[in-house]
Amino acid sequence: MPTEALLARFLDDLTPFRPLAVWAHGSLGGGDYQEGRSDLDLIAVLPGPLIPAAVRRLIVLHQRLRAEPLAGKLHCSYLTPRTAADPARSHMTWAHDEVRRRPVTPVTRRELYEFGRVLHGVPPATYLPPVPDRELRDFVVADQRDQWRPAVDMERLWTQDIWVDLGLLTFARATVTLREGRLISKRQALAELPALGAPSEVVEDVTRRRYGEQGPGPSPDRRARLTRAYLGPAIDALVAGYR
């Protein structure tokens, strides 16, 4: 299986860094992973500190992986025991074939607690404190309000599959988190969308594309109009209803 081969190669290449833990979250941890479509979302805890020389070596590690099948979908944030507990701290991250700095969000931290897959070393609770329900809900609302709601007004984005898929699925997942305090998978989010009033032909289109079913879908322009017309008011109502 290419996924397992890539993970084995990555863990082997990471050995010289003496990793204390490597965890998978997202689809790979939550049981909704689809090879070739889903990202491989990883967190590695290294002894640290991540001095510039160590960062350069990690970049070389990822660059050497490029020839491996699925390597472009492997994303990894690098924490140390000293920095892991701070939810506001940004960490060196390899994603989309480049180095970034980003935090490990409350959603990711809760995923790791609830269904993280330990690929190496100790479990997440060793270095990450639990995420309080209020912190998780505050983050989810802020993400809908500050990231997704402004994006709805950017018409050019919504002819792309990725924006339609993630816009709808993230909204459904946020709704369930606020309503029930739990996280759900993308497949579960798709099942929630009809009851949330999402346009049926768009939901069916997302399902076909993500899960390999056959059949025609709406044109990109129509799909964009339907998605934006639904998501704008839906996000506004979600945010307004949160206290």
Side-chain angles (χ1 to χ4, degrees):
M1 183 176 178
T3 299
E4 296 303 326
L6 176 61
L7 291 174
R9 165 74 187 276
F10 173 69
L11 292 173
D12 187 60
D13 289 355
L14 200 61
T15 299
F17 294 88
R18 298 179 292 116
L20 304 171
V22 181
W23 310 312
H25 60 99
S27 299
L28 189 61
D32 193 27
Y33 179 75
Q34 298 178 79
E35 189 165 79
R37 183 184 295 276
S38 301
D39 289 332
L40 292 162
D41 296 313
L42 308 180
I43 302 287
V45 182
L46 305 182
L50 290 183
I51 60 176
V55 170
R56 288 193 293 270
R57 289 170 56 210
L58 287 169
I59 292 171
V60 170
L61 180 156
H62 283 281
Q63 289 173 336
R64 288 175 175 169
L65 281 177
R66 283 173 173 161
E68 296 289 327
L70 307 180
K73 294 186 174 295
L74 191 153
H75 307 155
C76 188
S77 292
Y78 292 93
L79 286 59
T80 68
R82 181 172 164 270
T83 64
D86 182 359
R89 181 77 173 251
S90 291
H91 305 275
M92 180 241 168
T93 301
W94 180 268
H96 305 291
D97 209 31
E98 65 180 18
V99 174
R100 308 174 177 204
R101 290 195 64 83
R102 64 189 188 191
V104 179
T105 71
V107 168
T108 295
R109 290 167 179 264
R110 179 65 71 88
E111 285 182 355
L112 287 166
Y113 257 77
E114 291 189 0
F115 50 76
R117 176 179 167 186
V118 178
L119 302 178
H120 170 80
V122 297
T126 305
Y127 295 113
L128 302 179
V131 179
D133 289 345
R134 182 72 188 200
E135 180 182 343
L136 179 66
R137 290 187 169 96
D138 286 348
F139 174 82
V140 164
V141 170
D143 184 58
Q144 289 290 301
R145 181 190 63 226
D146 301 336
Q147 303 298 324
W148 286 102
R149 186 59 183 89
V152 171
D153 294 330
M154 301 177 187
E155 184 176 355
R156 60 181 175 79
L157 299 175
W158 295 89
T159 56
Q160 302 174 51
D161 292 351
I162 188 67
W163 283 92
V164 173
D165 293 6
L166 290 185
L168 290 169
L169 296 176
T170 303
F171 171 74
R173 297 173 87 179
T175 299
V176 172
T177 296
L178 293 178
R179 187 178 67 206
E180 303 174 22
R182 64 187 179 96
L183 301 180
I184 61 173
S185 70
K186 291 175 181 175
R187 186 183 285 272
Q188 290 171 317
L190 266 175
E192 291 283 338
L193 281 167
L196 295 175
S200 59
E201 63 183 289
V202 179
V203 175
E204 290 165 4
D205 178 61
V206 174
T207 303
R208 279 191 295 266
R209 288 186 290 98
R210 295 189 68 87
Y211 296 102
E213 299 179 10
Q214 300 299 314
S219 70
D221 287 341
R222 175 173 172 77
R223 188 182 64 182
R225 288 195 302 272
L226 289 171
T227 303
R228 294 176 63 235
Y230 167 71
L231 271 183
I235 292 173
D236 290 341
L238 183 76
V239 172
Y242 179 64
R243 295 292 182 268

